[in-house]
């Protein structure tokens, strides 16, 4: 943590709103702001989400409160090319409604908003995987106002990023956790065609996996059956004890996860943290409110890595899903007539129609059922009740059939409570007429034969006249008050009276009926012109956004290569697979040792990830490589993840490698600009920095945004499909690169599945985890690989577009790349696969991801 304690300042409590009821509940129970999604472009596509009409009502209501609240709208998916028109319409509507910010992942969305809808404040989504100070500084330079940090940070790292001047930092304090860094999870997409970056996650991390026996944790260090379990199923984040420390660290907004949860969950969770922040909870009240939340929805709670990045007890290998709040332990299973009852001492009051769950070893999910018949056992007497008080010994009837064998001592939980539902009932406000208003400036002129109004609102103007006979007023001083009163009655319109100028030099009287008529006519005209103006503006923006960029073409390689292309020495840019220009990327230079000078002679580039090898080994290996290939064709890639404890070594590597003459770099995270000390603008030479696939280019706007940030070459997303790639390839020619072979990282995580399955970390000295072959309950095979206690999960069979090279070439692809990362490839294997790919040979393994099916 920072040495100096920061001055305590107000901190925002930010709540999820999966639907209108949840948003209202959040405000009723003390949230300062809510975040929500529309029916499209939301990373929680299976939440209720909002129509524009519902959003307009909620924004109007939030802004009208005595203590105004804020509404942030998540536009936090990656956008397909065909969706750009709809995106522009959505951004235009959000700008008109006046949401307080938009939350974005796709840099193309940010670019469109900044250029065309500058009223929209930009917050970066956690989907951007920002996890260090360099990333925060880059976003500040790009004009973002707030960054939602990756959940994996420690408090020390949070304090460091929150110290960046001119940037708000938002952190999660409660809710469900993803196994992987958000935005970098491709398991559901590559394996099942359901992209988390598109709001379609299949939650594969909650699946049950079995491990190849020889790779499982040894039984002597495991407290459980280490061959199987929910290896990636994270506990829920809950940080009540750390709220004060996060505020002291400079965090601007404390965020509750849960857009898929209902209004009841939102109400209970917001109420709990509101009272914690304000210091209003006694120890007993805190315990009761925690139990309330757990009865609605909860997995076991964890601080994740806030206190230590070495924390390993963050996942639950044995049970998945909602557990509830603990009530007690099963004492007996008894028969009474035709019914079977369970008996336990209940730590909380219990009532009929509550829900119970019981842990059953080996089942993976608790056995759950409703309380239909409830009895209290008191000094040997048994009586049937509607409610049983706290501390009672109770008997609850099991369902007549379908229940498993329930072991004595099993944990019993309350998974649904009627009392809790009553405590957090929503008092629904009247939303009629609640909408954001546009200030209307009106000039009123009174003549003997007419009333003239000229109005201006939102950049449009209108004039109306109401004919009539306007006589001398008895009290001219009251005329303006009467006119103002009439003009303020704007009802359900989008308008609110702002500045009023009355020109009435002869002191004429204005009847209320005439003033009302004039107001109605003026409001109708202004509203119509506002609609027309908004529609025209959106159509103009769409025309620009959907028009092919004149900046698309241009050299992005060393001059000698560009000149060769111009001469046509390397084949036509489109056509056959043989016309493709190749690059290769590795994380161990030695893996290239079996490639000959002839193999390397016509490569565009060799890209080397500098994160894996020590500086000494890396420098020596690169010097050897430079004897085979021009140093100007060697590009150095920054690691996708660089945490606080890794920054010093990486910065030293960058400095020394620059001194050695290496000038070309690749970034896969927004932090790359900050790490390299480059400004994110096009004034930088275009061959200095390229973008890897993880900076997600799936649309023209994203490509143009990266080009405006000084990128010379970008890599199309490995989760994309051919149809969406085609317009990008056609437009961007030399600048677009396609990965055609790769062990795509399906998960990148700080949580160790080996430790999870073992029931605890065996310690670095005892750890045998290098890789584990794992199979999901649906038959998907993957490899979990340890990268210095960071876990990378890849498919057992690599992603390979080898059979699709001709289709890519026909679609306009010019540049392709083969990656050999994460897996321990032997040099001979790299040479065989790479030569086979280039020759168009059919390789005996591989999958094509979403290449043919595309992204939904």
């Amino acid at each position: 943590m920072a040495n100096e304690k920061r001055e305590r300042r107000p901190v925002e409590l930010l709540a999820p709103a999966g639907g209108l009821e949840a948003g209202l509940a959040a405000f009723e129970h003390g949230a300062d702001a809510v975040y929500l999604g529309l029916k499209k472009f939301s990373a929680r596509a299976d939440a209720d989400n909002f129509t524009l009409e519902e959003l307009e009502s909620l924004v109007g209501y939030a802004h009208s409160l005595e203590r105004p609240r804020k509404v942030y709208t998540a536009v936090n998916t990656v956008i397909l090319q065909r969706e750009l028109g709809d995106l522009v319409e959505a951004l235009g509507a959000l700008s008109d409604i006046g949401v307080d910010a938009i939350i974005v992942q796709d840099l193309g969305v940010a670019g469109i908003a900044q250029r065309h809808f500058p009223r929209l404040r930009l917050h970066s989504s956690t989907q951007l995987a920002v996890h260090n100070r360099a990333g925060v500084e880059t976003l500040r330079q790009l004009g973002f106002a707030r960054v939602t940090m990756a959940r994996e940070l420690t408090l020390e790292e949070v304090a460091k990023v929150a110290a960046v001047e001119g940037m708000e930092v938002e952190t999660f304090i409660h809710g469900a956790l993803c196994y992987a860094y958000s935005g970098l999870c491709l398991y559901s997409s590559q394996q099942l065609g359901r992209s988390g970056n598109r709001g379609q996650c299949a939650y594969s991390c909650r699946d049950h996996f079995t491990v190849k026996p020889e790779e499982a944790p040894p039984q002597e260090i495991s407290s459980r059956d280490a061959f199987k379990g929910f290896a990636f199923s994270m506990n829920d984040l809950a940080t009540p004890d750390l709220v004060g420390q996060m505020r002291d660290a400079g965090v601007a907004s404390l965020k509750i996860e849960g857009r898929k949860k209902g209004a009841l969950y939102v109400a209970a969770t917001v109420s709990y943290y509101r009272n914690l922040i304000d210091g209003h909870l006694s120890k007993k009240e805190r315990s009761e409110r925690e139990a309330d939340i757990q009865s609605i929805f909860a997995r076991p709670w964890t601080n994740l890595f806030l206190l230590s990045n070495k924390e390993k007890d963050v996942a639950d290998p044995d049970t998945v899903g909602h557990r509830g709040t603990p009530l007690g332990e099963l004492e007996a299973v008894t028969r009474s007539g035709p019914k079977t009852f369970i008996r336990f001492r209940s730590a909380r009051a219990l009532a009929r129609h509550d829900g119970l769950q019981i842990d059953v070893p080996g089942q993976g999910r608790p056995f759950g059922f409703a309380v239909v018949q409830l009895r209290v056992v008191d000094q040997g007497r048994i009586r049937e009740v509607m409610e049983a008080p706290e501390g009672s010994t109770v008997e609850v009837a099991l369902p007549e059939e379908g229940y498993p064998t329930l072991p004595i001592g099993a944990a019993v939980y309350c998974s649904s409570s009627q009392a809790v539902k009553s405590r957090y009932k929503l008092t629904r406000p009247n939303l009629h007429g609640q909408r954001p208003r546009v200030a209307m400036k009106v000039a009123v002129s009174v003549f003997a034969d007419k009333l003239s109004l000229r109005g201006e609102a939102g950049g449009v103007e209108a004039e109306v006249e109401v004919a009539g006979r306007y006589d001398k007023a008895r009290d001219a001083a009251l005329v303006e008050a009467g006119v103002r009163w009439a003009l303020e009655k704007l009802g359900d319109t989008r308008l609110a009276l702002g500045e009023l100028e009355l020109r009435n030099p002869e002191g004429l009287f204005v009847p209320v009926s005439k003033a009302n008529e004039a107001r109605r006519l003026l409001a109708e005209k202004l509203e119509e012109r506002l609609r027309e103006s908004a529609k025209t503006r959106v159509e103009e923006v769409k025309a620009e956004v959907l028009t092919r960029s004149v900046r698309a073409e241009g050299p992005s390689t060393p001059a000698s290569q560009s000149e060769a292309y111009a001469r046509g020495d390397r084949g036509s840019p489109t056509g056959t697979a043989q016309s493709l220009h190749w690059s290769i990327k590795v994380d161990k230079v030695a893996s290239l040792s079996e490639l000959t000078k002839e193999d390397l002679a016509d490569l565009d580039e060799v890209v080397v990830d500098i994160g894996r090898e020590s500086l000494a080994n890396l420098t020596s290996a690169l010097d050897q490589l430079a004897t085979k290939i021009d140093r100007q064709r060697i590009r150095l890639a920054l690691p996708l993840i660089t945490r606080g404890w890794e920054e010093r070594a990486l910065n030293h590597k960058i400095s020394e490698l620059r001194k050695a003459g290496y000038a070309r770099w690749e970034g896969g995270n927004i932090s790359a600009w900050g790490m390299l000390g480059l400004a994110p603008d096009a004034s930088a030479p275009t061959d200095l920095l390229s973008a890897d696939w993880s900076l997600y280019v799936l649309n023209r706007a994203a490509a143009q945004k990266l080009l405006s940030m000084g990128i010379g070459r970008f890599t199309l997303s490995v989760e994309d499909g051919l149809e969406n790639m085609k317009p990008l390839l056609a437009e961007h020619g030399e600048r677009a690169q396609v990965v055609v072979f790769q062990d795509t990282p399906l998960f990148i995580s700080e949580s160790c599945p080996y430790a999870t399955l073992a029931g605890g970390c065996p310690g670095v000295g005892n750890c045998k985890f290098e890789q584990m072959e794992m199979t999901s309950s649906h038959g998907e095979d993957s490899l979990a690989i340890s990268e210095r206690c960071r876990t990378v999960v890849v498919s057992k069979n690599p992603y390979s577009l080898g059979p699709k090279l001709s289709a890519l070439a026909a679609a306009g692809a010019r540049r392709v790349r083969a990656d050999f990362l994460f897996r321990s490839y032997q040099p001979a294997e790299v040479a065989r696969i790479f030569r086979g790919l280039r020759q168009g040979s059919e390789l005996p393994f591989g999958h094509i991801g979403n290449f043919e099916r595309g992204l939904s």
Side-chain angles (χ1 to χ4, degrees):
M1 296 291 294
N3 291 329
E4 294 184 11
K5 187 175 181 180
R6 301 170 189 270
E7 180 183 349
R8 283 211 165 193
R9 60 184 181 185
V11 63
E12 177 185 86
L13 179 58
L14 177 58
L20 183 58
E21 293 284 318
L24 294 172
F27 288 141
E28 181 175 349
H29 288 275
D32 300 300
V34 298
Y35 64 102
L36 52 84
L38 299 175
K39 298 294 185 182
K40 293 187 69 174
F41 312 126
S42 166
R44 289 291 183 267
D46 45 1
D48 288 343
N49 292 316
F50 280 69
T51 65
L52 289 174
E53 292 75 17
E54 289 172 329
L55 176 60
E56 192 171 44
S57 292
L58 187 66
V59 171
Y61 173 70
H63 291 177
S64 72
L65 292 171
E66 184 177 353
R67 180 172 67 86
R69 316 298 174 85
K70 294 182 178 180
V71 177
Y72 309 138
T73 302
V75 190
N76 61 340
T77 61
V78 292
I79 310 298
L80 300 180
Q81 180 67 22
R82 66 174 183 265
E83 296 173 323
L84 284 176
D86 290 345
L87 172 69
V88 169
E89 291 180 1
L91 293 178
L94 294 175
S95 181
D96 289 341
I97 288 171
V99 298
D100 296 284
I102 58 171
I103 307 167
V104 304
Q105 173 187 18
D106 192 313
L107 292 175
V109 177
I112 293 172
Q114 286 175 314
R115 180 175 175 82
H116 300 289
F117 305 103
R119 287 168 49 190
L120 291 173
R121 192 173 192 257
L122 290 181
H123 292 183
S124 82
S125 170
T126 192
Q127 293 287 115
L128 263 173
V130 182
H131 57 277
N132 54 35
R133 185 180 177 114
V136 175
E137 290 172 336
T138 302
L139 286 176
R140 180 188 60 185
Q141 290 181 283
L142 287 173
F144 282 75
R146 178 183 291 186
V147 54
T148 309
M149 301 305 301
R151 294 171 174 88
E152 289 80 2
L153 268 60
T154 64
L155 273 170
E156 183 177 0
E157 290 174 300
V158 168
K160 185 175 180 180
V161 299
V164 175
E165 292 292 334
M167 193 66 154
E168 294 178 359
V169 164
E170 177 179 297
T171 60
F172 284 92
I173 58 167
H174 195 96
L177 291 168
C178 295
Y179 177 73
Y181 281 90
S182 294
L184 298 178
C185 176
L186 297 185
Y187 193 111
S188 176
S189 179
Q190 287 268 10
Q191 301 284 59
L192 303 171
R194 293 179 55 182
S195 171
N197 288 316
R198 298 274 299 154
Q200 299 288 342
C201 182
Y203 304 100
S204 303
C205 57
R206 303 294 182 188
D207 204 354
H208 190 273
F209 286 79
T210 57
V211 180
K212 197 173 181 179
E214 58 268 30
E215 295 174 350
Q219 199 63 45
E220 59 267 22
I221 69 166
S222 177
S223 60
R224 55 179 306 282
D225 181 353
F227 297 115
K228 59 186 179 181
F230 299 98
F232 309 117
S233 184
M234 301 293 283
N235 294 330
D236 280 358
L237 182 68
T239 64
D241 295 322
L242 303 177
V243 165
Q245 292 182 59
M246 282 190 272
R247 179 167 53 186
D248 291 343
V251 172
S253 181
L254 302 175
K255 183 173 189 174
I256 298 168
E257 183 277 340
R259 280 197 285 145
K260 289 182 64 181
K261 306 293 197 306
L264 178 63
Y265 176 88
V266 171
T269 310
V270 168
S271 178
Y272 174 61
Y273 280 98
R274 176 78 278 155
N275 282 279
L276 270 179
I277 292 168
D278 296 343
H280 294 160
L281 288 183
S282 68
K283 186 175 180 180
K284 183 175 186 298
E285 288 171 328
R286 173 175 163 173
S287 177
E288 289 171 347
R289 288 175 181 264
E290 288 175 353
D292 286 351
I293 295 170
Q294 290 168 342
S295 73
I296 301 165
F297 188 90
R299 301 176 183 92
W301 285 2
T302 177
N303 287 327
L304 196 56
F305 306 117
L306 280 165
L307 296 178
S308 170
N309 67 289
K310 296 179 171 58
E311 176 62 52
K312 298 303 177 186
D313 187 18
V314 296
D316 185 350
D318 296 312
T319 307
V320 70
H322 174 40
R323 299 285 271 280
T325 189
L327 290 181
E329 293 183 352
L330 187 62
E331 297 176 1
V333 179
T334 64
R335 294 284 295 181
S336 179
K339 294 186 177 181
T340 303
F341 289 79
I342 59 168
R343 179 182 295 179
F344 61 95
R345 184 177 178 83
S346 182
R348 279 171 62 91
L350 194 63
R352 285 182 60 182
H353 308 300
D354 285 354
L356 296 184
Q357 295 204 128
I358 303 175
D359 280 346
V360 182
Q363 282 211 348
R365 289 182 180 273
F367 169 65
F369 59 100
V371 178
V372 176
Q373 188 174 356
L374 176 64
R375 307 195 306 195
V376 169
V377 181
D378 185 12
Q379 295 182 345
R381 297 176 57 195
I382 299 176
R383 55 190 174 88
E384 193 158 326
V385 297
M386 293 293 293
E387 294 185 17
E390 175 185 333
S392 302
T393 297
V394 299
E395 290 189 343
V396 179
L398 288 169
E400 292 185 2
E401 55 185 28
Y403 59 86
T405 300
L406 302 173
I408 302 303
V412 182
Y413 304 89
C414 176
S415 57
S416 176
S417 167
Q418 302 306 307
V420 169
K421 292 175 183 177
S422 296
R423 269 197 290 278
Y424 299 97
K425 276 187 176 178
L426 174 65
T427 306
R428 187 183 176 102
N430 182 5
L431 297 180
H432 180 70
Q434 291 284 7
R435 59 192 310 186
R437 306 280 176 161
V438 180
M440 177 177 68
K441 180 180 178 181
V442 183
V444 180
S445 298
V446 188
F447 303 95
D449 60 347
K450 65 181 179 180
L451 180 65
S452 175
L453 272 66
R454 186 177 72 253
E456 185 276 327
V460 302
E461 296 181 349
E463 292 186 25
V464 297
E465 292 182 352
V466 177
R469 181 177 174 179
Y470 298 91
D471 299 321
K472 211 62 161 166
R474 293 179 182 176
D475 187 346
L478 296 178
V479 173
E480 181 172 354
V483 170
R484 179 179 295 277
W485 179 79
L487 292 181
E488 285 177 340
K489 297 191 300 180
L490 288 159
D492 290 341
T493 71
R494 294 181 56 200
L495 304 170
L497 182 63
E499 185 179 335
L500 172 63
E501 179 185 0
L502 178 65
R503 298 170 185 167
N504 188 13
E506 298 183 26
L508 302 177
F509 175 68
V510 180
V512 171
S513 60
K514 296 295 184 181
N516 285 339
E517 182 182 356
R519 180 208 68 236
R520 185 174 62 254
L521 292 172
L522 182 63
E524 288 175 355
K525 273 194 174 183
L526 283 174
E527 286 208 297
E528 178 60 28
R529 289 181 183 177
L530 282 170
R531 286 191 293 268
E532 290 174 355
S533 174
K535 183 177 180 181
T536 299
R537 180 182 57 171
V538 163
E539 291 304 316
E540 290 172 349
V541 175
K542 284 168 68 173
E544 179 176 331
V545 167
L546 298 176
T547 299
R548 179 168 170 166
S549 171
V550 296
R551 301 177 59 192
E553 300 296 340
S556 59
T557 55
S560 60
Q561 296 297 312
S562 298
E563 291 165 4
Y565 294 138
R567 292 195 305 268
D569 295 351
R570 303 188 63 190
S572 61
T574 61
T576 66
Q578 285 67 39
S579 67
L580 296 170
H581 310 309
W582 286 80
S583 296
I584 189 170
K585 181 175 181 179
V586 296
D587 55 9
K588 293 181 296 184
V589 183
S591 63
L592 298 171
S593 61
E594 290 292 318
L595 293 179
T596 65
K597 282 190 176 182
E598 290 71 25
D599 290 321
L600 300 170
D602 62 348
L603 290 188
D604 277 2
E605 290 182 333
V606 172
V607 185
V608 179
D609 187 315
I610 67 172
R612 189 164 185 176
E613 298 190 88
S614 69
L615 177 61
N617 290 344
L618 187 61
T619 303
S620 174
L622 287 171
D623 288 343
Q624 287 293 317
L625 179 62
T627 66
K628 295 183 178 182
I629 187 171
D630 181 2
R631 191 180 294 252
Q632 296 304 306
R633 288 192 285 144
I634 298 175
R635 186 177 294 274
L636 303 182
L638 301 183
L640 190 50
I641 303 294
T642 305
R643 295 293 297 276
W645 57 89
E646 299 167 317
E647 288 179 356
R648 184 175 179 181
L650 179 63
N651 289 334
H652 182 59
K653 279 185 183 179
I654 292 170
S655 175
E656 294 302 308
L657 290 167
R658 277 176 159 168
K659 290 177 185 176
Y662 296 98
R664 291 178 174 80
W665 300 87
E666 177 187 85
N669 185 273
I670 199 72
S671 63
W673 284 261
M675 290 284 185
L676 295 169
L678 298 175
D681 61 64
S683 63
T686 57
D687 60 352
L688 282 184
L689 187 60
S690 66
D692 204 3
W693 61 267
S694 45
L695 281 165
Y696 294 118
V697 176
L698 292 100
N699 61 74
R700 173 183 293 117
Q704 291 174 347
K705 183 62 178 177
L706 284 174
L707 293 176
S708 76
M709 293 165 63
I711 288 293
R713 179 186 301 190
F714 54 83
T715 309
L716 298 185
S717 171
V718 291
E719 65 170 340
D720 204 359
L722 178 61
E723 287 305 309
N724 192 64
M725 289 182 185
K726 284 180 179 178
L728 295 167
L729 292 170
E731 178 172 352
H732 290 285
E734 296 293 345
R735 295 193 183 278
Q737 180 172 247
V738 181
V739 174
V740 297
F741 182 87
Q742 182 187 73
D743 289 301
T744 303
L746 307 180
F747 293 145
I748 301 177
S749 179
E750 301 296 339
S751 174
C752 176
Y754 187 89
T756 296
L757 293 176
C761 177
V764 176
N766 297 319
C767 184
K768 307 299 181 183
F769 175 35
E770 294 181 0
Q771 75 172 37
M772 294 191 300
E773 186 173 324
M774 311 177 74
T775 303
S776 76
S777 68
H778 297 91
E780 300 133 12
D781 293 323
S782 57
L783 295 177
I785 301 168
S786 177
E787 292 277 340
R788 296 186 297 276
C789 291
R790 179 170 295 138
T791 300
V792 178
V793 176
V794 303
S795 174
K796 183 179 179 181
N797 297 318
Y799 171 71
S800 177
L801 298 183
K804 306 297 178 183
L805 294 179
S806 294
L808 271 173
R814 304 184 189 185
R815 299 176 181 274
V816 295
R817 191 182 81 197
D819 293 358
F820 297 88
L821 309 170
F822 308 120
R823 200 189 299 248
S824 296
Y825 285 100
Q826 295 303 308
E829 189 178 14
V830 171
R832 177 182 62 82
I833 294 172
F834 190 57
R835 289 167 186 160
L837 285 166
R838 297 194 66 184
Q839 293 164 7
S841 302
E842 290 288 332
L843 298 174
F845 55 82
H847 68 91
I848 61 172
N850 300 309
F851 186 78
E852 290 182 342
R853 65 193 174 205
L855 287 172
S856 61

